[in-house]
Amino acid sequence: MAIPIFQVDSFTGEAFRGNPAGVCVLDENMDAGWMQAVAAEMNVSETGFLVPCAEEPGAFSIRWFTPTVEVPLCGHGTLASAHILWEQGFVTSDGPVVLNCKKGRLTACRENGRIRLDFPEVPALPIATPPRLADALGVQPLSVYENEFPAGLVELESAEAVRALDPDIERLEKVGPGCWIVTALSDTEDCDFVSRFFAPRLGINEDPVTGSAHCSLGPFWAERLRKTELIGHQVSKRGGVVGVRVLGARIHLLGQTVTVLRGELTPEATRVLSRE
């Protein structure tokens, strides 16, 4: 049985930039342990697994795995998955693609050369600065928040401080949730804010571009800048741009995608399948 698998660079219009995601399109649900093994083999920050929904024709269920764990929500993996469904003809309608996950119902639409994702807002609430956070980051935060993932959100005094950040990953993993969004107001006119995302507890020292983090970054900066249409620049080594539209309890994430690999899992890989 041939199972198609792809690698897509998300939140970029240029190959080898943005955030690479694996996309695996299945005919039916497979064992979580097998999906975890495939994600570890792909060795990108997330691999998405898609299965057609028998009860809802045209819709798909989706799950995401890092090389070490399953995650409840993934922006760049969803962007990549919607891109592959359209590009490879798994869906032929120009209407919204419906993707059902553990966090509920997500949709993807095409909008002016980008893909628009409809995601839930994930508010970040203020917390006291954890005692070891400044030492792990190597810089003193202006303010600290935490969302339900859980992930911490740290505001720094400048965009340059975010770009220059060189945290102690081993120490950062042991502080709070072990996943940290770091952000500051932009110092350029092409975006509103900058960010980076470190998730050593998920097996990701630094994620190149993190769509789901913008479900918290969007409302955080919308309140401060008093605007609902924003552009975030994740200033990792690869870098990427995320359009953000804040709509109350929902967030629109917008980005470009580029397919860089197309293939299929070999019989050696697929013969170890076990169905859930």
Side-chain angles (χ1 to χ4, degrees):
M1 177 175 58
I3 295 178
I5 194 162
F6 309 88
Q7 187 166 310
V8 177
D9 289 342
S10 295
F11 295 114
T12 180
E14 182 182 350
F16 312 124
R17 296 188 64 81
N19 200 352
V23 179
C24 186
V25 185
L26 301 167
D27 291 329
E28 56 187 321
N29 287 319
M30 299 300 180
D31 178 74
W34 178 84
M35 288 188 280
Q36 184 65 76
V38 172
E41 190 76 6
M42 291 294 286
N43 200 33
V44 292
S45 55
E46 270 93 8
T47 296
F49 294 86
L50 294 158
V51 182
C53 293
E55 67 280 6
E56 189 177 359
F60 292 79
S61 66
I62 185 168
R63 295 171 71 173
W64 309 272
F65 291 77
T66 79
T68 59
V69 297
E70 185 175 6
V71 294
L73 194 65
C74 176
H76 84 282
T78 307
L79 200 76
S81 296
H83 166 83
I84 287 298
L85 290 175
W86 277 309
E87 181 189 69
Q88 300 300 312
F90 291 103
V91 296
T92 56
S93 170
D94 287 331
V97 171
V98 175
L99 300 165
N100 295 312
C101 70
K102 293 180 179 180
K103 284 290 185 180
R105 187 180 181 91
L106 312 175
T107 59
C109 300
R110 289 162 163 166
E111 182 178 307
N112 300 324
R114 296 185 293 177
I115 295 173
R116 184 188 77 219
L117 304 178
D118 181 43
F119 267 43
E121 180 189 42
V122 184
L125 302 177
I127 61 170
T129 301
R132 297 172 293 167
L133 180 61
D135 288 340
L137 289 174
V139 65
Q140 186 65 43
L142 287 181
S143 56
V144 182
Y145 302 76
E146 189 171 327
N147 66 26
E148 67 180 39
F149 279 161
L153 190 154
V154 177
E155 182 185 9
L156 298 187
E157 64 179 357
S158 70
E160 182 54 37
V162 175
R163 285 190 286 264
L165 202 63
D166 185 21
D168 185 323
I169 293 297
E170 289 188 5
R171 296 173 73 180
L172 192 62
E173 181 180 5
K174 299 172 184 176
V175 179
C179 302
W180 291 93
I181 307 162
V182 184
T183 189
L185 187 68
S186 175
D187 55 4
T188 62
E189 295 182 354
D190 59 352
C191 65
D192 297 290
F193 61 89
V194 300
S195 68
R196 291 171 70 184
F197 183 63
F198 306 94
R201 200 165 291 177
L202 300 180
I204 306 166
N205 286 351
E206 181 171 4
D207 197 34
V209 193
T210 315
S212 60
H214 289 74
C215 295
S216 294
L217 288 165
F220 180 87
W221 286 111
E223 181 180 357
R224 284 155 181 76
L225 299 177
R226 299 186 180 278
K227 58 193 295 190
T228 57
E229 297 260 358
L230 305 114
I231 297 175
H233 182 194
Q234 196 152 330
V235 289
S236 64
K237 184 176 180 180
R238 289 175 64 105
V241 176
V242 183
V244 184
R245 191 174 292 146
V246 180
L247 303 167
R250 305 297 294 181
I251 301 288
H252 284 175
L253 306 175
L254 299 99
Q256 295 178 290
T257 48
V258 181
T259 302
V260 294
L261 290 173
R262 300 186 183 99
E264 62 183 35
L265 294 169
T266 68
E268 288 75 15
T270 57
R271 71 166 56 105
V272 299
L273 293 175
S274 57
R275 291 163 176 78
E276 289 189 318

